[in-house]
């Protein structure tokens, strides 16, 4: 066989499946069947080079010889593009369709052992007197099914546009999807060459010279399709190396209530003009493609809007504060969510040595509604703390705001539990060379914070109160203490103590296990304390579902170690 022997599986590409006896035939018989059989067969190697061209295929592809690469110079552009798709498809089948010597042909590619592929040309039926193809209706339905599956596979706008251009190129020799937006101006995604679809900017002057483009991009309901004469298509809207354009068809791409762009189909000179039947089919495809692009654009717009809105709801990035060691961990109930019903906030003092305000809370509910209420509480507290520093009065003002808003909206479930902390660095003096932190703690319906002392004991802050936003009067107790250097106060949400796991999978983690995890954290930085507690909870959960988990540590920095003094010289022995 010249130049290389085809794989023994080459006859499998024939239109009629071979019998069991054929599969077991000698390689010479298989080659004869592939070369001289009734079905047009081409076998290619992994590089796309034809190693066998059957006699029936040679009659349909006079430019292809054995040893040549299936490319634009040897086969029609649609078949060359099919070979590129086959190279990317791995072992999967590929099917493409296009004009071939005045006929409509479907080329089907099948992977063979050794990296070879067999192309079989089928449905190469001549046109009748009216220019129709007997099997066009079936082939077009297959194309629409394949196009719909590909267009709906992604909600990325650029990918949807590129897929539209690639699919449309199968209906002609080249295609371009033209879109226009205030952000990016006019842009065209061109397909039909050997490479992947390429997006290019289109100057307004060139775009305006294209007849019917203004109506296609602005009119809704869609403007009629428009056939363009040869030479009216700008070179920028053609693939590289395409040459001169012959006939062209401009089809609007309708979206959901507004046009999303226009589809330009281009044929080479001599390939004939688009028929009325082809124009109707192009509009059917454009309607499906426009709907897919519109859905992808809407999804991207909503995603961008959600990202902007979430930005102010995300937990803040903790920054180091002079004399105060801060660390936090936030784990939402669902890994896909960035925000939830639990939150924390830190407001450093505007003046050196002033009090840093810290809040950790849990609002009623889950999901977006809880996140919205979280944002409102954070914003309200940020404003109130500028005019009120007493914790109990601050909670009373917040309680009134939530009750008023709930009454206006007709909702009575806008409540939350909170713990407020105020941390003020203590100036070092002769008795306190390392400083420390003066700490105020106030819990309102929330688990009381735990303090890790330097001697390893774990102490619960004696503070408590009613939740906020449920009853007209809020009561709370504020407790003041001192964190000596190396001591840490841990604030946490009820998602920590209520985490269910363990050997049976349903037992709560509880405060006692949290205390046990903290007992070994004496003289540790706040970040290490938060990490130790988080690891203990994760190990207890062992992958089970959980509520939002928030941990926040406030630590007094450890005293710096005194520098080592000069080492005394070693004593030397000797005689008197």
């Amino acid at each position: 066989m010249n130049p290389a022997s085809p794989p023994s599986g080459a006859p499998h590409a024939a239109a009629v499946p071979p019998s069991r006896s054929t599969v077991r035939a000698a390689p010479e018989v298989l080659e004869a069947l592939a070369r001289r059989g009734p079905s047009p067969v081409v076998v290619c190697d992994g590089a796309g080079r034809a190693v066998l061209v059957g006699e029936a295929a040679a009659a349909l592809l006079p430019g292809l010889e054995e040893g040549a690469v299936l490319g634009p110079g040897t086969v029609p552009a649609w078949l060359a593009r099919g070979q590129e798709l086959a190279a990317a498809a791995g072992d999967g089948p590929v099917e493409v369709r296009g004009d071939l010597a005045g006929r409509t042909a479907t080329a089907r590619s099948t992977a063979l052992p050794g990296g070879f592929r067999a192309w079989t040309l089928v449905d190469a039926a001549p046109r009748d007197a009216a220019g129709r193809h007997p099997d066009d209706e079936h082939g077009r339905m297959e194309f629409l099914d394949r196009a719909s599956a590909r267009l709906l596979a992604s909600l990325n706008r650029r990918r949807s546009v590129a897929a539209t251009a690639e699919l449309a190129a199968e209906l002609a020799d080249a295609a371009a999807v033209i879109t226009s937006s205030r952000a990016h101006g006019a842009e065209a995604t061109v397909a039909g060459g050997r490479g992947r679809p390429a997006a290019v900017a289109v100057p307004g002057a060139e775009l305006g010279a294209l007849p019917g483009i203004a109506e296609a991009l602005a009119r809704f309901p869609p403007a009629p399709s428009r056939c363009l004469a040869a030479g009216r298509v700008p070179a920028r809207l053609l693939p590289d190396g395409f040459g001169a354009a012959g006939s062209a068809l401009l089809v609007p791409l309708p979206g959901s209530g507004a046009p999303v762009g226009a589809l330009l189909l281009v044929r080479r000179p001599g390939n004939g003009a688009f028929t009325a039947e082809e124009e109707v089919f192009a509009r059917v495809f454009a309607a499906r493609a426009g709907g897919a692009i519109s859905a992808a654009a809407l999804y991207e717009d909503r995603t961008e809007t959600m990202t902007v809105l979430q930005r102010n709801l995300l937990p803040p990035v903790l920054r180091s504060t002079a004399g105060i060691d801060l660390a936090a961990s936030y784990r939402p109930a669902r890994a896909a969510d960035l925000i939830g019903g639990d939150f924390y906030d830190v407001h450093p003092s505007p003046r050196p040595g002033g009090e840093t305000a810290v809040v950790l809370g849990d609002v009623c509910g889950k999901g977006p509604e809880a996140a919205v209420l979280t944002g409102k509480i954070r914003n309200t507290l940020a404003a109130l703390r500028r005019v009120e520093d007493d914790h109990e009065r601050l909670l009373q003002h917040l309680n009134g705001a939530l009750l008023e808003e709930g009454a206006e909206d007709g909702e009575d479930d806008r409540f939350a539990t909170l713990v407020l902390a105020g941390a003020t660095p203590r100036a070092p003096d002769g008795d306190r060379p390392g400083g420390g932190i003066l700490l105020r703690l106030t819990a309102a319906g929330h688990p009381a914070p735990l303090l890790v002392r330097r001697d390893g004991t774990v102490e619960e802050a004696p503070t408590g109160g009613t939740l906020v936003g449920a009853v007209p009067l809020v009561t709370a107790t504020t407790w003041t203490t001192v964190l000596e250097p190396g001591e840490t106060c841990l604030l946490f949400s009820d998602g920590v103590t209520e985490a269910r796991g363990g050997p049976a999978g349903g037992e709560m983690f509880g405060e006692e296990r949290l205390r046990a995890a903290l007992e070994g954290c004496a003289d540790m930085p706040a970040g290490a304390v938060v990490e130790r507690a988080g690891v203990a909870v994760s190990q207890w959960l062992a992958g089970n579902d959980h509520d939002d988990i928030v941990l926040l540590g406030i630590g007094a920095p450890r005293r710096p170690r005194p520098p080592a003094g000069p080492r005394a010289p070693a004593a030397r022995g000797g005689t008197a």
Side-chain angles (χ1 to χ4, degrees):
M1 183 173 169
N2 184 27
S5 297
S8 60
H12 286 251
V16 178
S19 65
R20 185 177 300 274
S21 59
T22 303
V23 174
R24 297 176 179 175
E28 307 85 49
V29 177
L30 299 180
E31 179 180 351
L33 289 173
R35 187 181 297 280
R36 301 174 185 174
S39 297
V41 176
V42 177
V43 179
C44 302
D45 60 15
R49 186 180 295 105
V51 297
L52 183 150
V53 180
E55 294 179 358
L60 293 173
L61 303 170
L64 179 63
E65 298 179 353
E66 293 182 356
V69 175
L70 269 70
T74 59
V75 296
W78 60 270
L79 183 54
R81 180 56 183 158
Q83 175 60 29
E84 294 180 0
L85 295 175
D91 295 335
V94 174
E95 181 175 300
V96 292
R97 188 178 179 89
D99 288 340
L100 182 63
R103 302 164 179 247
T104 294
T106 298
R108 295 171 181 164
S109 174
T110 304
L112 301 176
F116 291 85
R117 273 192 170 270
W119 283 98
T120 306
L121 300 173
V122 296
D123 295 338
R127 298 181 181 182
D128 60 17
R132 295 186 299 268
H133 308 294
D135 296 328
D136 270 3
E137 190 66 27
H138 175 71
R140 286 171 178 170
M141 290 302 102
E142 285 185 347
F143 173 83
L144 287 178
D145 289 343
R146 179 164 51 88
S148 297
R150 185 174 177 189
L151 290 169
L152 296 176
S154 173
L155 283 175
N156 181 284
R157 179 183 172 277
R158 287 194 175 275
R159 291 178 185 173
S160 296
V161 170
T164 299
E166 279 191 301
L167 291 165
E170 298 182 26
L171 306 179
D173 295 323
V177 176
I178 306 167
T179 58
S180 180
S181 65
R182 294 181 180 179
H184 304 97
E187 189 176 68
T189 300
V190 182
R194 292 183 62 86
R196 304 189 69 82
V200 296
V202 183
E206 290 189 18
L207 195 63
L210 192 64
I213 188 63
E215 294 84 353
L217 293 177
R219 179 174 167 182
F220 194 87
S225 304
R226 186 159 185 169
C227 293
L228 307 180
R232 298 306 299 269
V233 179
R236 195 181 301 269
L237 301 181
L238 299 173
D240 293 338
F242 185 83
S247 58
L249 179 66
L250 186 67
V251 184
L253 285 168
S256 300
V260 298
L263 176 62
L264 181 66
L265 303 176
V266 182
R267 282 179 176 164
R268 287 189 170 89
N271 283 354
F274 290 91
T275 65
E277 187 177 9
E278 291 170 331
E279 179 183 347
V280 171
F281 182 69
R283 290 183 70 92
V284 172
F285 167 71
R288 297 196 181 190
I293 296 174
S294 179
L298 179 61
Y299 177 80
E300 286 193 352
D301 288 344
R302 291 189 174 181
T303 301
E304 182 178 357
T305 301
M306 287 297 297
T307 301
V308 173
L309 293 176
Q310 284 181 348
R311 193 171 297 148
N312 291 329
L313 297 177
L314 293 174
V317 177
L318 297 185
R319 295 177 174 84
S320 59
T321 302
I324 303 175
D325 186 14
L326 294 172
S329 171
Y330 179 80
R331 184 176 174 184
R334 295 189 304 176
D337 292 341
L338 297 177
I339 54 179
D342 288 9
F343 68 96
Y344 66 86
D345 226 338
V346 176
H347 302 281
S349 172
R351 64 184 186 278
E355 185 182 68
T356 293
V358 179
V359 58
L360 186 147
D362 182 3
V363 305
C364 174
K366 297 181 180 180
E369 294 81 4
V372 171
L373 181 55
T374 293
K376 291 180 179 179
I377 292 177
R378 289 177 61 186
N379 292 335
T380 303
L381 284 173
L384 288 174
R385 63 173 292 272
R386 294 181 177 274
V387 296
E388 182 60 75
D389 60 358
D390 182 82
H391 286 179
E392 295 180 50
R393 289 196 294 267
L394 186 67
L395 291 171
Q396 191 62 48
H397 290 315
L398 175 63
N399 185 69
L402 293 179
L403 290 175
E404 289 179 6
E405 185 172 347
E408 292 175 359
D409 297 341
E411 300 179 4
D412 56 359
D413 58 351
R414 294 177 177 270
F415 58 87
T417 66
L418 298 168
V419 57
L420 304 178
T424 306
R426 302 175 75 193
D429 56 26
D431 297 332
R432 294 193 311 271
I437 294 176
L438 181 65
L439 189 65
R440 292 191 300 152
L441 296 171
T442 306
H446 199 88
L450 297 177
L451 291 87
V452 183
R453 298 301 188 179
R454 291 196 64 184
D455 60 2
T457 60
V458 178
E459 177 184 349
E460 180 179 302
T463 176
T466 56
L467 50 81
V468 180
V471 294
L473 181 62
V474 171
T475 60
T477 302
T478 300
W479 181 63
T480 302
T481 188
V482 173
L483 290 180
E484 296 295 343
E487 296 183 341
T488 299
C489 175
L490 182 69
L491 284 61
F492 56 93
S493 66
D494 58 7
V496 174
T497 53
E498 296 178 4
R500 293 185 178 273
E507 186 179 355
M508 290 198 300
F509 185 66
E511 188 173 316
E512 289 304 316
R513 291 187 178 87
L514 178 59
R515 284 171 172 267
L518 297 178
E519 286 175 354
C521 297
D523 208 29
M524 282 187 178
V529 175
V530 168
E531 183 177 2
R532 175 74 66 88
V535 169
V537 175
S538 296
Q539 291 176 343
W540 182 258
L541 283 168
N544 291 341
D545 293 338
H546 58 86
D547 201 352
D548 297 337
I549 295 175
V550 182
L551 296 160
L552 191 149
I554 306 172
R558 291 176 294 177
R559 294 189 179 98
R561 295 182 181 272
R567 181 176 298 178
R572 297 182 180 180
T575 58

